Amino acid sequence: MKKFLLQVERNCISGALVLLPLLVFFVLLEKVWKFFQNYGEKFAHFLRLDLFLGKYATDIAGGMILLVLIYLSGFLMRLALLRRFTNWVDDKLMIFLPGYEKNKKEAEEKLNKRKKKPSTDVPILLKNGEFWQPAHLIEEDANGNAVIFVPTAPAKDQGQILIVKSTDFKKLSETTLGSLDASIKSLGKGILSFK
């Protein structure tokens, strides 16, 4: 019975830690949307959009104001003073909102994936004693040295950076980085078929 109660207590605490950041996020989102709806209603009435769009004019105009504000904020972020201020706000939010840092990193990763940056990484297998380990080849020099990144499963973006000889690994020329990363995330499933 004691084990069951401890498990219930752990589950309740874990659930609260998951739900609290989500609740705060949705409350903030609701407040921000109400703010823009208020100005959207005035803007829609000023442009007479409410005559032919009806009750949806408020939402459409508020959304347009929000998008224009986000777009203009992108230009303002180039100013060093504003960048320092937003970094300060981020630091404070990380202290007072549990899970903010993790959610921010996930959002940044998703945005970076959309930008589709060209990658110079090459999937490889690193010789490590008697076994081979999946890794990314970052760069090579003319002296036969190479910088590689060895991810720690299941996180594809955490691991070790090593400098090795070019003879200590083999390139997987028929394998993409995406399939290597997916295999690392699934704890090695599918690596045996890589070439």
Side-chain angles (χ1 to χ4, degrees):
M1 184 66 173
K2 234 179 186 181
K3 279 186 180 181
F4 175 73
L5 291 175
L6 282 173
Q7 185 64 31
V8 168
E9 180 185 7
R10 274 192 228 122
N11 285 348
C12 288
I13 291 171
S14 298
L17 290 176
V18 168
L19 289 178
L20 185 63
L22 291 174
L23 179 66
V24 169
F25 172 75
F26 285 117
V27 167
L28 288 174
L29 185 65
E30 181 186 11
K31 297 278 186 196
V32 168
W33 185 247
K34 292 280 186 199
F35 175 81
F36 284 103
Q37 265 187 329
N38 184 26
Y39 285 101
E41 181 180 7
K42 293 173 185 174
F43 189 68
H45 185 68
F46 176 73
L47 294 177
R48 303 283 187 225
L49 296 174
D50 54 348
L51 294 177
F52 60 91
L53 291 176
K55 64 180 181 177
Y56 300 111
T58 301
D59 291 332
I60 292 170
M64 287 173 38
I65 292 170
L66 177 62
L67 288 176
V68 167
L69 186 64
I70 289 171
Y71 183 75
L72 292 176
S73 297
F75 286 116
L76 292 175
M77 277 305 291
R78 295 180 183 165
L79 300 174
L81 177 67
L82 191 60
R83 193 175 311 125
R84 281 196 305 267
F85 174 73
T86 55
N87 289 339
W88 178 82
V89 169
D90 270 349
D91 290 342
K92 297 306 173 198
L93 286 174
M94 285 180 206
I95 292 170
F96 295 111
L97 291 178
Y100 174 77
E101 183 176 14
K102 178 186 167 211
N103 291 330
K104 181 184 174 200
K105 283 183 183 177
E106 287 176 3
E108 286 174 348
E109 284 177 9
K110 287 179 183 176
L111 285 174
N112 287 337
K113 283 181 186 174
R114 284 191 180 172
K115 288 181 186 174
K116 302 229 179 192
K117 292 187 215 173
S119 177
T120 57
D121 296 3
V122 176
I124 61 168
L125 287 177
L126 170 68
K127 181 75 170 162
N128 192 351
E130 296 294 317
F131 57 90
W132 294 89
Q133 190 169 9
H136 293 204
L137 173 63
I138 305 301
E139 64 182 9
E140 289 181 274
D141 67 8
N143 298 330
N145 296 315
V147 177
I148 64 165
F149 174 71
V150 182
T152 305
K156 63 181 175 61
D157 57 349
Q158 296 175 1
Q160 291 182 311
I161 298 171
L162 304 173
I163 299 173
V164 299
K165 293 287 183 193
S166 295
T167 56
D168 292 337
F169 63 86
K170 62 180 177 182
K171 294 180 182 177
L172 301 171
S173 56
E174 297 177 23
T175 305
T176 64
L177 272 177
S179 58
L180 180 73
D181 288 341
S183 179
I184 290 169
K185 191 172 183 179
S186 65
L187 302 175
K189 190 172 187 177
I191 286 182
L192 294 176
S193 64
F194 290 170
K195 294 179 181 178

